[in-house]
């Protein structure tokens, strides 16, 4: 187990070309659990959140519900686009989402504010599929079941020295932190290549193999180029169809790893997804709560761009059959 975690921490450090002093930490619970831990140990008094989809809303809600934190600053944008963070002297953490999986919007990650303000980035569906400069973030955290083609239930975080300092200082204060949510304990255990409680070995195994495979192929740049190629295929295809269009209007905000494609009302997307599913092409459904007539397609680096081309042909076939 320790060898597995050791190789994984090493592999992630290499994949993300971690700046000096950054550490790889991990723990059970996934990104959702990391939000609760972040409220406990990374946000000191008040956070700012960019809210532009289901996942970014959830973290903002967790912060708002924390009785020991002040009401967070929220900056919202219409779903299908992203807002920009604003420097504010009244917050100690900026909470960004690299890729909003529910809407298919990606945003650039850039540091802002002062050195004592942390930049916390939910990279759950971005990490391993989008280029990033880790020096721009203090906590870049994710679960392994998206770009890393593994299973859920685990979180990983790339932490800056400032983030680690914050974690230890807040947990030294009189705020009560439940042991299973303690980031300090995660950092201390990760340094020993272990976790606070037992993780699933299969999850770590699959994640490690994906990380090592991507490194062997050319690293993050290779993986990002592969998803970009897949997404160019999908967005280009949608723009050439009278009955389909990318949901995200601004091309620069369209995610290379999760494409959302609106269909015209005459073609029910749910029906298309159902037929695709009956024929072995699964998980093309839109995000339920978004409530749009839409296909949502995962274009993570483990997906072969040729399969993506084949999928667009399959959708063409189904739509033609349904319209005929
Ligand atoms: C999937 C996802 C989450 C939730 O991850 P869990 O592992 O289910 O906790 C959070 N944020 C984003 C952006 C996601 O895509």
């Amino acid at each position: 187990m320790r060898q597995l975690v050791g190789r994984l921490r090493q592999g992630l450090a290499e994949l993300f070309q971690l700046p000096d002093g950054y550490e790889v930490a991990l723990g059970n619970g996934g990104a959702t659990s990391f939000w609760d831990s972040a409220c406990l140990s990374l946000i000191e008094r008040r956070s700012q959140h960019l809210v532009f989809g289901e996942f970014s809303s959830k973290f903002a809600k967790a912060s708002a519900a924390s009785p020991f934190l002040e009401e967070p600053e929220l900056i919202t944008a219409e779903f299908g686009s992203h807002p920009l963070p604003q420097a504010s002297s009244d917050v100690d953490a900026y909470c960004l989402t690299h890729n909003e999986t529910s809407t298919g919007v990606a945003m650039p990650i850039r540091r802002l504010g002062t050195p004592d303000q942390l930049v916390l980035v939910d990279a759950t569906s971005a990490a391993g599929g989008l280029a990033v400069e880790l020096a721009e973030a203090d906590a870049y955290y994710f679960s392994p079941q998206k770009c890393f083609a593994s299973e859920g239930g685990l979180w990983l975080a790339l932490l800056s020295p400032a983030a680690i300092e914050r974690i230890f200082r807040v947990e030294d204060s009189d705020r009560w932190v439940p042991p299973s949510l303690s980031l300090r304990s995660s950092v201390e255990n990760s340094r020993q290549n272990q976790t606070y409680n037992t993780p699933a070995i299969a999850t770590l195994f699959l994640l490690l193999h994906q990380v090592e495979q991507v490194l062997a192929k050319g690293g993050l740049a290779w993986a990002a180029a592969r998803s970009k190629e897949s997404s160019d295929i999908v967005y280009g295809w949608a723009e050439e169809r009278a009955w389909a269009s990318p949901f995200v209007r601004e091309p620069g905000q369209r995610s290379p790893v999760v494409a959302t494609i609106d269909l015209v009302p005459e073609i029910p997307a749910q029906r298309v997804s159902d037929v695709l599913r009956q024929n072995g092409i699964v998980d093309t459904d839109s995000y339920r709560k978004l409530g749009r007539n839409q296909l949502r397609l995962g274009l993570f680096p483990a997906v072969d761009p040729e399969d993506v081309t084949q999928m667009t042909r399959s959708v063409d076939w189904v739509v033609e059959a349904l319209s005929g």
Side-chain angles (χ1 to χ4, degrees):
M1 177 64 84
R2 286 173 109 174
Q3 260 186 21
L4 198 60
V5 174
R7 265 170 70 191
L8 178 60
R9 292 180 68 236
Q10 180 60 39
L12 287 173
E14 206 181 313
L15 186 67
F16 288 98
Q17 303 186 333
L18 281 195
D20 283 350
Y22 277 60
E23 295 185 36
V24 180
L26 67 161
N28 279 311
T32 305
S33 168
F34 189 86
W35 290 328
D36 293 331
S37 290
C39 289
L40 286 158
S41 323
L42 277 167
I43 303 170
E44 196 161 3
R45 185 180 58 81
R46 186 175 193 221
S47 49
Q48 178 184 104
H49 296 254
L50 300 192
V51 176
F52 56 109
E54 184 62 19
F55 292 107
S56 45
S57 315
K58 276 188 173 168
F59 186 16
K61 280 187 197 135
S63 170
S66 300
F68 42 85
L69 297 178
E70 291 177 21
E71 200 57 33
E73 250 179 43
L74 305 183
I75 302 178
T76 58
E78 211 183 314
F79 288 5
S81 65
H82 71 76
L84 288 172
Q86 287 162 20
S88 160
S89 57
D90 200 35
V91 302
D92 53 68
Y94 298 97
C95 304
L96 317 180
T97 303
H98 200 175
N99 187 74
E100 206 1 300
T101 323
S102 63
T103 60
V105 169
M107 66 171 290
I109 298 304
R110 280 195 208 96
R111 191 175 275 293
L112 77 161
T114 55
D116 59 335
Q117 298 178 309
L118 300 181
V119 176
L120 315 180
V121 181
D122 177 357
T124 302
S125 59
L130 265 70
V132 66
E133 287 292 333
L134 257 295
E136 303 290 329
D138 293 295
Y140 191 79
Y141 60 91
F142 52 94
S143 305
Q145 74 272 26
K146 313 256 166 107
C147 286
F148 286 110
S150 181
E151 291 287 356
L154 189 77
W155 59 257
L156 297 109
L158 313 175
L159 300 170
S160 74
I164 293 166
E165 191 271 335
R166 171 80 61 90
I167 288 165
F168 279 71
R169 185 158 47 75
V170 172
E171 293 201 23
D172 268 339
S173 72
D174 53 10
R175 186 180 293 172
W176 179 70
V177 177
S180 68
L181 290 175
S182 162
L183 290 179
R184 168 198 230 150
S185 150
S186 296
V187 168
E188 285 172 345
N189 276 286
S190 298
R191 286 172 177 165
Q192 313 285 323
N193 291 329
Q194 56 197 25
T195 49
Y196 177 67
N197 64 323
T198 317
I201 291 180
T203 308
L204 290 166
F205 176 88
L206 293 170
L207 171 57
L208 174 65
H209 282 264
Q210 179 71 3
V211 167
E212 291 186 343
Q213 156 126 327
V214 169
L215 281 171
K217 300 263 191 197
L220 199 51
W222 173 84
R226 191 163 147 102
S227 283
K228 177 75 170 61
E229 184 185 342
S230 289
S231 65
D232 284 346
I233 292 169
V234 169
Y235 294 126
W237 161 81
E239 280 179 327
E240 286 167 7
R241 301 288 173 281
W243 42 266
S245 54
F247 167 53
V248 180
R249 252 175 273 132
E250 177 57 55
Q253 298 191 0
R254 288 177 193 160
S255 168
V257 287
V258 179
T260 43
I261 304 298
D262 279 344
L263 301 186
V264 293
E266 301 79 65
I267 302 169
Q270 192 55 56
R271 182 93 177 88
V272 175
S273 283
D274 289 346
V275 175
L276 290 173
R277 176 170 287 274
Q278 283 161 18
N279 290 279
I281 299 175
V282 302
D283 295 342
T284 56
D285 317 62
S286 74
Y287 198 82
R288 254 171 309 116
K289 287 194 197 155
L290 199 59
R292 293 189 71 90
N293 189 43
Q294 184 174 91
L295 299 175
R296 191 173 59 131
L297 309 167
L299 309 170
F300 300 127
V303 177
D304 190 332
E306 268 188 42
D307 287 347
V308 173
T309 300
Q310 183 52 48
M311 183 192 53
T312 59
R313 291 196 196 113
S314 302
V315 176
D316 282 344
W317 174 269
V318 172
V319 168
E320 204 183 298
L322 287 176
S323 322

